[in-house]
Amino acid sequence: MQPIISEKVETTKLSSQNLARNTSGTDGSQPSSIDARTNSVSDGTTVTGLPEESSLPVRQKDSKTEPELRQRMRLELSQDVPKTERLEAAESLIDTIRTCTVESLETLWEVIDDMTVPEADLESRKVAFNLFQASALHLDLPSYRTKIFNMITTPVDHSAVRHQLMALDQLIQQGRRVSGLEAQLAGFLIELMRGLFPSAERARQARYRREGFGGTQSGDIARQRPDEEKALLKCLSLILSLVEKETETFKAANLETMLAGVASLASKTTGTALMRAFFEIISAVTVHSQIPNSNAGDCVRLLCLIMVDPRYESKANAATAIYKILHSGAWQESLNVLVAEILVDAHRSSELKGSILQLLADSFMDMKVDSARFEVFSEHLRSACRVLREDKETSPILIDSLVKLATTVGAIIDLESFKSLIGAIQTLSKLSAQESVLLPSITENLVKLFLACMAHSGPKTVILYDMFLSIVAVPKPASIRLTLIKLLSRLRCDAGCRIKVIKLPDGQGLAAALCRTRATAANVRVSASPSSHASSGGQSQPSRRIRSRASDIGSKARSRSRSGSRISNTKDRFPSAMEPMWKYDESRKGLPVAPPEDFSSAILVQSPKTKNTGEPLLDLSKWLEIMISELETGNDWEVYSYILVHLPSQLSNCSLFQGQARQISDLHELLNTQLSSNSFPDPPPESGIRRGDIALCLYHSLAMLLAYQDYIGVRQWNRTVSTFRVGIEKFDRVGKFCIHALALCCHEIPNIIENHINVIVEMMQKRITQSDLAMDILEFLGGLARLPEAYDHADVTLRQKIFGICVRYLQHAREQRKMHENEVTARGSGSSADAFRQSKQPQIDQAQRNLAEYVFTIAYQVIIFWFLAIDVRERNRHVGWITRELAFKSETGKEEVDEQSLVLLDMMHRTAFSDLGETFSAPQFSDPERKVYKGTWLVGMSVITAEVVMDEASGRAECGQFTKRQASGTTHAVHYHNTIETPLHHVKESRLISPESVKEQFNLYPSHMVLQLISTISPAPAPLQPIPLPEDDDFTNRALRLFDSTDTVDGHKAAVIYIGDSQTTEEDILANTEGSDGYNAFLSRLGTKVPLKNIQFNAQGLDRQCETDGSHTYAWRDRVTEIVFHIPTMMPNNLGMDPSCSKKKAHIGNDHVKIIFNESGLPFEFNTFASDFNSVNIVITPEAHTSGASFGVDRNTQKLTHPTSTDETERGQEASATDCFGYYLVQAFDSYKYPDFSLVASPKIISACALPGFVRQLAMDASVFCQVWQYKSLGEYTSSWRFRLQQIIKLREKHANVNASANVDYPRGTDEGPSSYVEGGQWTGSMTYGGMAELSKLIASLDFTRWTK
């Protein structure tokens, strides 16, 4: 048979671009495309299709010619006309009928009806088809559409099938032309597909055998597809077009038949183009329709083949198609095939199984809402996992997909399914083998699963936790272990033992020490760079690095970089095989996803408190053992360094390791051994890290173990103190931290410190040449002086050593001052050349000058603290040595004593033989109704006032009062003359009495008291003679009032602020009027609760009259220092009138030092209380979050009781603060203007018992530091005592020349002989301390009228 379609018929582009390429392709792998310009296919045949409707001419009805045309048709096309003539006549009408009317067309179809039936010969049908094509405008008429469709679909021989399909394609592209015929067309194409497949497959295989499978022809001419294959591809293309454009066509039986045929044929072919065509049809059905249940299994199998066959580029589309089937009504059938058939098939590839697991994971979110689906899915999952565990192939892709599935479904599936899933992962990963196929992405997904399970399922969390431990416990690639270690090191628990994973542990300071921050890693430099080697003639030089890392990295490491002095030159870094695997980077928090914000209620930490609860428990002892092992071996530097940095932070949460006595003891022993014997692992040479950097990290961990006193014995604590002591001089960079740790030990284990205190101070004596340790040593000694239990039994040499350290630092501070003065002088004079040379000299940084001033200040304070700490019976033994050491030589060689030294001498003068407290003036001397005689003198560096009150009845002296104003204090003493009664035989004295004084027979005057107490007939040089002060002089009275209003102690203030659960804003925090029991217990021992109304001491701005700032506050005082606390919770609120609590803010906003009791459960933000005085925030945080809960306090008696004791006999009994409230983390955050100066610049953990004293000392040190820093633009810091001394000096400057006295230095005695004394500014003689003077000055020395009234 000949084709009925002209070979000049054109075809349009196929609707499916993929199948159009397949149909026209040149070979099985790279099909050719249709030329869009000529629409010619690759075999060279050009065909024409039905014309586009828009290109047809507009038909105009002609009433004159149409009847003639119809008449002509009846005559020339009659069946009586011979066939040849009839066909010629029909062809001649093709152009004519394009413009004819409908009536003429109807006549045409009527007369040639016999030419369109299937029984007509092929040539007649061909001519009839051309006539139909010419009249395409009217094909929307149902009768003619049916006729042409029947004519096209009439069976023809295989050589014409392709053209037949092209004609059908034209009809399908213009969809309305097959309206109503879709079912017939679909049926025809399905049958045609089945009929064409055998011949197409035979032809394709014959060609491959002929040309060689997979081979290519030589030359530029590509292989041609067999016509049979092209026809089949065209048929499949038409089916695809119908699926895409005529969705309603393939419903019910047609769709099932078609899909069954597609699946059947696909299973029999190996042709790439055919498989791609079958896949496109199924994929289109999933998009435009729904796979019937009966076909789902076959379709899924075909799609699975596509997914794993490398010849196909549509793997993602195949997966998408399966995904859609899983979400259709055929989900159960498709799930059966995927899980029960393919996954369990040992012969299937891991890649396919991995892809299926990924599909299941993607589909799960929809399955879980349908309980029926979810149950079937869970059952299939368990079956698949059992089979997969027996699979010998362990592809990372399969494991990765299995883990992704677990990540998606793990948190919701039942526990048995979860165990099966995790068991399969463990088995396939070969966790017990030396080498693992785990990938970092796999472990990251396991971490995601852990975080998802934490909130809902404790048993699942425990399973994953044990799995993680098994992974990190054996040698594996560091990237795999680090992913899990990052999670494990972030585990924390609250006071209720509930688990949480924190976002970022507090380890950035130590990370900087190990060059694991962005700034520090980029700034490690090697001086022996290639250029330096070249300059040295090729000779190898020792590699040295230039680093300016502080010995103790504190809070500044989190907020700003202190590495400005480093040389940023990354090309000169140590050679490294690879970049570090972990760094502290703000943009990456270390976990693949953010952990939950809240503590989990589904799982608890294993501890004595939780052992009988029946809840799922995490055993942290195993994790602790792993960290101990890593610290001991240090085999993997990346893992070792990570644990070094993060172990201290985790140890600070001591509730996390409750009950782990053996492991804690082992860790304590290991740290002591490694540090004392210097036996810890070496860092890699290329890391640029020194052993001292590692030692610093280990010391941080050792200090955190102070919170585990119940697990460590006395012998071990003695060893710990020795380890800290040795660290002061053994390792670079750790001396500062070791001093801080010893200061903490003084509060926590004073009985242990007492055994070592002499050796510790000796060690500090050896380090006084290290100026960077000066303030740390002095702060340690100052705090120690207030803890007598830490040195009670120390020998007498301890004080001498401490005084020696302080004197040496005073000398150093003076040298620094002198350098600064010389520098200022040099800058103000000299030529430009001199200035240039001076600019090249090292300049003393302003901050260093301020630190030197702080050292100068606290060195004097430490001497004062320790002098007062000496028993009063022993103090005089130290006065001579201290006095000698305070003097220094000026530039002229003259010995001098500065003001601060005079203050110290004054203090010793007052306290060397007395431990009396503050004195007060007798009330009768301030009674305005009583007559009082008073005189005031300047005596040396003191102001003495003698007062006598008159007895109204007798008119004689009742008593006298002696007041001595000194820099360090004021002494009031009542003076009585114990006169006996006049004997009977005593005659009455006769006096010459002036008439004005007859009525006043007063018998005692203030000058008599002064003469009796401070004067003898021994000659006194003029400088030592008292200087009387005028009573009516404004300058004198003003100076005395200012002197008397100045405290006799150094006054400090600090805010104590409570932050409740989840509070973050200033308004919410300041509105608190009460705190937790732990906060109240802390306050009660921080100071003494004192009433504010009418108090006589400095309230530091709090109202003392109307109680507008509350009725009480807390304060603390000793003989040297006083601190008053501003406590918002004790201040009244008026939220209606003052919602922002501005009155409270007025106080705390002016406090340089703030103590933040943070029970919010959130990190504290430094600028929460923003002000110009926001200098130092000492943040106290419970090591285990309590949500501000009330416990452990008897509300009636206010006594602390055992809160959660398991012992019935202990419950309700009085307990210590540590028993009730545990431990707290303390850390100081200071302004960017300040350097790190506090011993809690890095976080420290301390017990509730020791917390108040520890924090109070911190606050006072911080207050002194801030005051010194604030004085930097005004000169030297002035204490209260020094200010009082300055007022005395002003009085001497005012009155010194009166009565020939002079304001000069005290004469100084020597062992060699008498020293000179001064009178009127001139050296005139000599004297001894015994009082003997040259005879020429005897009268002047005896004349006491010069300084008496």
Side-chain angles (χ1 to χ4, degrees):
M1 295 179 63
Q2 298 298 320
I4 65 169
I5 303 174
S6 171
E7 293 189 0
K8 293 183 179 181
V9 177
E10 293 183 357
T11 183
T12 62
K13 292 176 68 175
L14 295 177
S15 61
S16 172
Q17 295 299 321
N18 287 337
L19 284 188
R21 288 192 293 269
N22 292 343
T23 304
S24 310
T26 59
D27 58 31
S29 59
Q30 297 293 332
S32 64
S33 60
I34 297 177
D35 189 327
R37 295 169 296 177
T38 64
N39 292 330
S40 62
V41 292
S42 59
D43 60 356
T45 303
T46 302
V47 295
T48 58
L50 298 178
E52 296 290 339
E53 294 177 6
S54 60
S55 65
L56 295 176
V58 179
R59 303 182 183 190
Q60 302 292 335
K61 183 177 180 181
D62 189 343
S63 59
K64 296 181 178 180
T65 59
E66 286 294 319
E68 296 176 355
L69 178 60
R70 289 193 290 273
Q71 182 64 28
R72 176 186 169 191
M73 291 176 181
R74 291 189 183 96
L75 293 174
E76 295 181 359
L77 300 177
S78 171
Q79 295 183 14
D80 298 331
V81 176
K83 177 181 177 181
T84 302
E85 296 177 4
R86 189 184 184 196
L87 294 178
E88 290 177 356
E91 289 181 348
S92 66
L93 290 173
I94 290 177
D95 292 332
T96 304
I97 64 172
R98 295 183 188 278
T99 58
C100 68
T101 62
V102 173
E103 290 83 355
S104 299
L105 287 175
E106 290 178 344
T107 301
L108 173 64
W109 296 124
E110 179 182 348
V111 297
I112 67 168
D113 184 64
D114 62 309
M115 298 172 61
T116 63
V117 297
E119 292 80 8
D121 62 88
L122 183 60
E123 189 174 3
S124 298
R125 286 164 48 207
K126 182 177 180 180
V127 173
F129 178 78
N130 289 336
L131 289 172
F132 272 111
Q133 183 181 11
S135 57
L137 180 62
H138 299 284
L139 287 181
D140 54 346
L141 300 177
S143 59
Y144 299 114
R145 188 164 57 244
T146 304
K147 283 180 179 291
I148 192 169
F149 176 76
N150 291 336
M151 186 166 51
I152 294 175
T153 57
T154 299
V156 296
D157 61 14
H158 289 300
S159 62
V161 167
R162 190 174 177 209
H163 301 291
Q164 184 182 33
L165 292 171
M166 290 180 180
L168 288 174
D169 183 29
Q170 191 67 28
L171 288 179
I172 295 172
Q173 297 303 324
Q174 300 175 8
R176 67 184 183 83
R177 295 180 177 176
V178 293
S179 178
L181 303 172
E182 295 88 347
Q184 298 178 45
L185 178 58
F188 171 77
L189 291 174
I190 292 170
E191 291 302 319
L192 184 61
M193 174 187 69
R194 293 179 181 275
L196 290 175
F197 179 78
S199 58
E201 187 66 12
R202 285 193 300 271
R204 186 187 63 79
Q205 293 180 0
R207 186 195 64 165
Y208 271 52
R209 285 193 299 271
R210 182 174 60 255
E211 298 177 358
F213 182 77
T216 57
Q217 292 180 346
S218 59
D220 296 331
I221 302 178
R223 297 193 305 261
Q224 301 295 317
R225 292 186 186 280
D227 290 339
E228 296 86 346
E229 186 179 6
K230 292 180 181 178
L232 179 56
L233 290 173
K234 186 62 181 179
C235 178
L236 296 176
S237 175
L238 294 181
I239 293 175
L240 177 61
S241 297
L242 280 178
V243 172
E244 292 176 339
K245 297 186 177 182
E246 306 292 341
T247 305
E248 301 298 323
T249 301
F250 288 106
K251 280 196 173 182
N254 265 347
L255 183 60
E256 292 186 19
T257 304
M258 184 270 291
L259 289 175
V262 168
S264 175
L265 298 180
S267 64
K268 300 175 182 178
T269 185
T270 57
T272 303
L274 292 178
M275 283 294 292
R276 188 179 292 114
F278 291 140
F279 160 69
E280 293 288 350
I281 292 173
I282 294 176
S283 180
V285 173
T286 62
V287 174
H288 300 283
S289 184
Q290 192 174 65
I291 300 290
N293 292 357
S294 59
N295 302 112
D298 292 334
C299 292
V300 168
R301 293 184 187 94
L302 173 60
L303 293 171
C304 287
L305 292 177
I306 295 292
M307 288 173 60
V308 296
D309 196 322
R311 296 175 296 170
Y312 307 114
E313 303 171 355
S314 304
K315 296 181 181 181
N317 294 336
T320 302
I322 296 178
Y323 178 85
K324 291 177 179 177
I325 296 174
L326 285 171
H327 288 74
S328 68
W331 65 269
Q332 189 163 4
E333 289 76 7
S334 57
L335 193 60
N336 286 336
V337 172
L338 289 173
V339 179
E341 182 177 321
I342 298 179
L343 276 182
V344 301
D345 188 352
H347 300 290
R348 300 282 186 170
S349 69
S350 294
E351 181 183 3
L352 174 59
K353 293 178 181 179
S355 300
I356 292 173
L357 290 171
Q358 184 60 54
L359 274 172
L360 295 177
D362 295 340
S363 305
F364 172 72
M365 299 310 293
D366 291 328
M367 288 186 184
K368 70 177 182 179
V369 301
D370 186 332
S371 58
R373 291 191 188 190
F374 188 71
E375 185 176 350
V376 173
F377 171 81
S378 299
E379 182 180 351
H380 283 312
L381 178 62
R382 289 192 294 272
S383 300
C385 288
R386 283 193 295 271
V387 175
L388 288 174
R389 294 180 71 170
E390 300 173 0
D391 198 342
K392 296 181 180 180
E393 186 176 0
T394 54
S395 166
I397 297 177
L398 176 59
I399 302 173
D400 185 50
S401 300
L402 197 60
V403 171
K404 288 179 180 178
L405 175 64
T407 305
T408 305
V409 307
I412 303 178
I413 58 176
D414 61 273
L415 185 59
E416 289 303 317
S417 299
F418 184 86
K419 289 179 179 178
S420 298
L421 186 56
I422 298 302
I425 294 173
Q426 288 179 303
T427 301
L428 294 178
S429 302
K430 297 182 179 179
L431 299 180
S432 60
Q434 289 297 318
E435 294 185 0
S436 172
V437 295
L438 279 175
L439 300 173
S441 61
I442 295 176
T443 52
E444 286 186 2
N445 282 312
L446 288 173
V447 170
K448 292 179 184 178
L449 178 58
F450 182 92
L451 297 175
C453 290
M454 272 184 59
H456 307 290
S457 176
K460 294 177 183 177
T461 308
V462 173
I463 292 172
L464 288 170
Y465 172 75
D466 291 338
M467 177 183 178
F468 293 168
L469 293 181
S470 66
I471 295 174
V472 300
V474 296
K476 286 185 175 65
S479 59
I480 295 173
R481 300 177 71 200
L482 275 175
T483 303
L484 301 179
I485 290 174
K486 287 177 182 179
L487 171 73
L488 296 171
S489 65
R490 285 168 166 78
L491 289 175
R492 300 291 186 274
C493 78
D494 65 1
C497 297
R498 298 181 303 166
I499 284 290
K500 179 181 180 179
V501 175
I502 60 174
K503 291 182 180 179
L504 188 66
D506 184 16
Q508 189 160 357
L510 291 179
L514 295 188
C515 297
R516 291 296 177 137
T517 62
R518 180 180 299 176
T520 55
N523 288 312
V524 177
R525 181 177 178 270
V526 182
S527 60
S529 61
S531 58
S532 64
H533 284 294
S535 63
S536 60
Q539 186 177 357
S540 176
Q541 299 293 329
S543 175
R544 299 174 59 190
R545 59 201 158 100
I546 300 174
R547 304 169 63 187
S548 63
R549 211 162 47 245
S551 60
D552 185 19
I553 310 296
S555 60
K556 296 295 187 302
R558 291 181 305 281
S559 59
R560 59 187 181 272
S561 172
R562 291 192 172 278
S563 57
S565 61
R566 297 183 185 175
I567 301 174
S568 179
N569 189 352
T570 55
K571 68 181 180 180
D572 285 339
R573 295 174 58 189
F574 274 99
S576 177
M578 62 180 66
E579 286 296 312
M581 291 185 180
W582 67 272
K583 289 181 185 178
Y584 262 71
D585 186 344
E586 291 292 333
S587 63
R588 187 172 177 83
K589 300 301 183 183
L591 296 177
V593 294
E597 294 288 342
D598 300 324
F599 286 90
S600 172
S601 58
I603 188 168
L604 304 176
V605 170
Q606 181 175 306
S607 72
K609 293 193 297 186
T610 60
K611 61 182 179 181
N612 296 322
T613 60
E615 297 290 334
L617 305 175
L618 284 190
D619 182 4
L620 269 297
S621 64
K622 300 176 182 177
W623 166 233
L624 199 51
E625 289 171 356
I626 291 173
M627 289 192 289
I628 293 172
S629 176
E630 290 296 330
L631 291 177
E632 188 172 10
T633 60
N635 292 330
D636 190 321
W637 170 244
E638 294 294 332
V639 173
Y640 179 64
S641 61
Y642 194 88
I643 291 177
L644 281 175
V645 168
H646 294 88
L647 177 59
S649 177
Q650 193 166 33
L651 286 174
S652 69
N653 184 200
C654 49
S655 295
L656 189 67
F657 299 108
Q658 290 182 71
Q660 315 303 332
R662 181 179 63 81
Q663 289 79 11
I664 291 295
S665 180
D666 291 346
L667 176 60
H668 186 267
E669 182 68 22
L670 174 65
L671 294 175
N672 274 304
T673 300
Q674 289 188 339
L675 289 169
S676 60
S677 63
N678 197 9
S679 59
F680 50 84
D682 286 317
E686 67 273 11
S687 67
I689 306 300
R690 293 183 180 177
R691 291 183 61 79
D693 301 322
I694 296 179
L696 177 62
C697 298
L698 295 174
Y699 271 115
H700 271 76
S701 294
L702 185 60
M704 289 302 176
L705 292 181
L706 286 169
Y708 298 86
Q709 296 185 35
D710 293 342
Y711 308 146
I712 300 172
V714 174
R715 183 188 63 82
Q716 290 174 295
W717 284 126
N718 276 290
R719 187 178 182 189
T720 299
V721 172
S722 297
T723 302
F724 283 130
R725 172 180 55 79
V726 170
I728 296 176
E729 68 171 356
K730 191 168 189 176
F731 300 104
D732 293 338
R733 300 178 175 83
V734 302
K736 183 182 291 286
F737 181 83
C738 287
I739 294 171
H740 295 170
L742 288 171
L744 189 61
C745 292
C746 291
H747 290 267
E748 288 289 4
I749 48 175
N751 57 319
I752 305 297
I753 285 289
E754 188 178 22
N755 301 328
H756 300 263
I757 191 62
N758 278 297
V759 184
I760 291 172
V761 173
E762 286 177 3
M763 186 68 69
M764 292 179 176
Q765 271 188 308
K766 298 177 182 178
R767 309 300 286 179
I768 57 177
T769 56
Q770 272 187 262
S771 58
D772 61 310
L773 297 181
M775 65 178 180
D776 305 291
I777 291 176
L778 291 173
E779 285 179 348
F780 170 84
L781 296 175
L784 179 66
R786 290 189 168 111
L787 297 169
E789 60 271 25
Y791 63 86
D792 258 351
H793 297 91
D795 59 44
V796 69
T797 62
L798 174 67
R799 281 81 172 176
Q800 296 171 348
K801 295 170 185 174
I802 293 173
F803 292 145
I805 291 173
C806 295
V807 167
R808 179 64 185 91
Y809 281 131
L810 286 175
Q811 294 170 354
H812 175 74
R814 291 191 185 102
E815 292 170 1
Q816 292 291 101
R817 284 182 177 182
K818 187 175 180 181
M819 289 175 61
H820 173 55
E821 292 171 357
N822 293 339
E823 177 188 346
V824 173
T825 303
R827 288 177 181 174
S829 62
S831 65
S832 58
D834 292 336
F836 176 77
R837 285 192 297 271
Q838 291 160 9
S839 67
K840 307 299 286 184
Q841 299 297 323
Q843 303 296 315
I844 302 175
D845 184 78
Q846 179 65 43
Q848 293 301 320
R849 290 197 296 271
N850 294 333
L851 288 175
E853 192 64 34
Y854 177 63
V855 169
F856 185 77
T857 300
I858 61 176
Y860 277 113
Q861 287 187 348
V862 172
I863 296 176
I864 294 171
F865 295 158
W866 277 97
F867 186 83
L868 294 176
I870 300 172
D871 187 275
V872 68
R873 294 167 296 182
E874 301 291 331
R875 289 176 188 165
N876 64 310
R877 299 175 59 184
H878 299 273
V879 172
W881 185 88
I882 295 174
T883 303
R884 287 195 303 271
E885 296 301 323
L886 289 177
F888 63 94
K889 288 187 177 182
S890 65
E891 293 182 355
T892 61
K894 180 182 177 182
E895 288 188 336
E896 297 180 356
V897 178
D898 56 29
E899 284 186 357
Q900 194 63 41
S901 295
L902 289 177
V903 168
L904 177 56
L905 290 170
D906 183 85
M907 182 274 304
M908 292 191 295
H909 184 271
R910 288 186 67 244
T911 60
F913 300 95
S914 170
D915 252 343
L916 296 177
E918 296 285 331
T919 61
F920 63 92
S921 176
Q924 60 265 38
F925 292 94
S926 57
D927 187 349
E929 302 297 328
R930 304 291 298 274
K931 187 175 177 87
V932 177
Y933 295 87
K934 180 169 70 172
T936 302
W937 291 263
L938 270 174
V939 180
M941 287 297 176
S942 66
V943 178
I944 294 178
T945 298
E947 301 172 277
V948 179
V949 62
M950 185 176 69
D951 182 24
E952 297 293 337
S954 64
R956 293 177 175 272
E958 177 181 322
C959 65
Q961 178 173 264
F962 186 84
T963 301
K964 186 176 183 180
R965 296 179 177 90
Q966 295 177 245
S968 59
T970 300
T971 302
H972 299 277
V974 176
H975 178 80
Y976 286 96
H977 276 76
N978 296 321
T979 57
I980 63 175
E981 294 184 5
T982 304
L984 294 176
H985 60 281
H986 186 86
V987 297
K988 185 177 182 180
E989 293 90 349
S990 59
R991 298 189 183 93
L992 182 62
I993 302 174
S994 64
E996 295 79 7
S997 60
V998 170
K999 296 181 180 180
E1000 187 176 299
Q1001 298 295 321
F1002 199 66
N1003 59 345
L1004 178 65
Y1005 290 93
S1007 293
H1008 172 75
M1009 296 172 55
V1010 174
L1011 287 172
Q1012 294 299 313
L1013 294 175
I1014 65 173
S1015 178
T1016 70
I1017 62 172
S1018 175
L1024 299 181
Q1025 294 174 1
I1027 302 174
L1029 298 177
E1031 295 182 6
D1032 55 353
D1033 181 63
D1034 290 340
F1035 179 87
T1036 301
N1037 293 333
R1038 185 167 55 252
L1040 290 177
R1041 285 195 301 270
L1042 189 58
F1043 183 95
D1044 291 338
S1045 65
T1046 303
D1047 291 335
T1048 56
V1049 292
D1050 282 337
H1052 301 282
K1053 60 181 180 177
V1056 182
I1057 303 170
Y1058 176 75
I1059 304 181
D1061 193 26
S1062 301
Q1063 289 182 334
T1064 56
T1065 64
E1066 181 182 74
E1067 292 77 11
D1068 290 342
I1069 296 169
L1070 293 182
N1072 290 328
T1073 56
E1074 61 180 8
S1076 66
D1077 288 337
Y1079 166 75
N1080 293 330
F1082 166 73
L1083 274 183
S1084 66
R1085 297 188 304 281
L1086 184 65
T1088 301
K1089 189 175 183 180
V1090 294
L1092 285 173
K1093 194 166 186 177
N1094 298 324
I1095 60 172
Q1096 300 304 309
F1097 60 86
N1098 184 356
Q1100 299 294 341
L1102 297 177
D1103 179 32
R1104 298 186 289 182
Q1105 301 298 325
C1106 304
E1107 298 184 350
T1108 59
D1109 296 322
S1111 61
H1112 292 76
T1113 191
Y1114 281 90
W1116 182 91
R1117 175 175 177 143
D1118 63 8
R1119 296 184 66 175
V1120 180
T1121 309
E1122 179 181 72
I1123 184 167
V1124 176
F1125 299 104
H1126 294 164
I1127 307 172
T1129 56
M1130 300 181 72
M1131 300 178 184
N1133 282 344
N1134 187 0
L1135 298 180
M1137 299 294 293
D1138 184 15
S1140 62
C1141 300
S1142 58
K1143 289 187 177 181
K1144 295 183 179 182
K1145 178 64 181 293
H1147 288 294
I1148 70 166
N1150 288 316
D1151 293 335
H1152 283 288
V1153 180
K1154 299 176 183 64
I1155 300 170
I1156 311 296
F1157 201 92
N1158 182 21
E1159 289 190 329
S1160 67
L1162 304 170
F1164 175 73
E1165 293 292 334
F1166 182 81
N1167 288 319
T1168 301
F1169 307 101
S1171 74
D1172 292 338
F1173 298 93
N1174 190 23
S1175 301
V1176 179
N1177 290 328
I1178 301 171
V1179 182
I1180 304 168
T1181 307
E1183 60 85 15
H1185 183 52
T1186 62
S1187 299
S1190 297
F1191 57 88
V1193 177
D1194 188 316
R1195 292 294 183 181
N1196 297 320
T1197 64
Q1198 295 301 310
K1199 291 183 178 180
L1200 301 177
T1201 59
H1202 283 279
T1204 56
S1205 176
T1206 56
D1207 189 345
E1208 293 292 339
T1209 60
E1210 287 186 355
R1211 194 169 301 169
Q1213 298 296 315
E1214 190 168 353
S1216 69
T1218 304
D1219 292 333
C1220 294
F1221 307 112
Y1223 286 80
Y1224 291 86
L1225 273 175
V1226 182
Q1227 185 168 13
F1229 299 87
D1230 55 350
S1231 169
Y1232 69 92
K1233 301 175 184 177
Y1234 295 168
D1236 284 331
F1237 66 90
S1238 174
L1239 68 88
V1240 290
S1242 59
K1244 303 293 188 299
I1245 190 166
I1246 191 166
S1247 65
C1249 287
L1251 179 68
F1254 180 71
V1255 171
R1256 182 175 58 243
Q1257 184 64 42
L1258 289 176
M1260 290 189 294
D1261 287 343
S1263 180
V1264 172
F1265 184 89
C1266 292
Q1267 291 180 36
V1268 171
W1269 202 269
Q1270 293 303 311
Y1271 269 89
K1272 61 186 178 183
S1273 60
L1274 305 175
E1276 297 179 19
Y1277 164 70
T1278 303
S1279 65
S1280 295
W1281 289 359
R1282 186 172 180 181
F1283 181 81
R1284 289 161 62 96
L1285 175 67
Q1286 289 172 350
Q1287 304 312 306
I1288 297 175
I1289 292 174
K1290 288 180 180 179
L1291 288 173
R1292 292 191 64 84
E1293 291 173 349
K1294 174 73 174 177
H1295 302 287
N1297 292 325
V1298 176
N1299 296 327
S1301 292
N1303 179 25
V1304 295
D1305 292 340
Y1306 285 99
R1308 181 178 176 85
T1310 65
D1311 297 334
E1312 300 175 356
S1315 61
S1316 300
Y1317 78 97
V1318 179
E1319 180 180 3
Q1322 301 294 324
W1323 293 100
T1324 59
S1326 62
M1327 61 165 291
T1328 67
Y1329 283 121
M1332 298 302 294
E1334 292 179 339
L1335 293 177
S1336 60
K1337 297 296 180 181
L1338 180 59
I1339 297 176
S1341 301
L1342 293 175
D1343 186 5
F1344 56 85
T1345 61
R1346 298 178 60 199
W1347 47 271
T1348 59
K1349 296 182 180 179

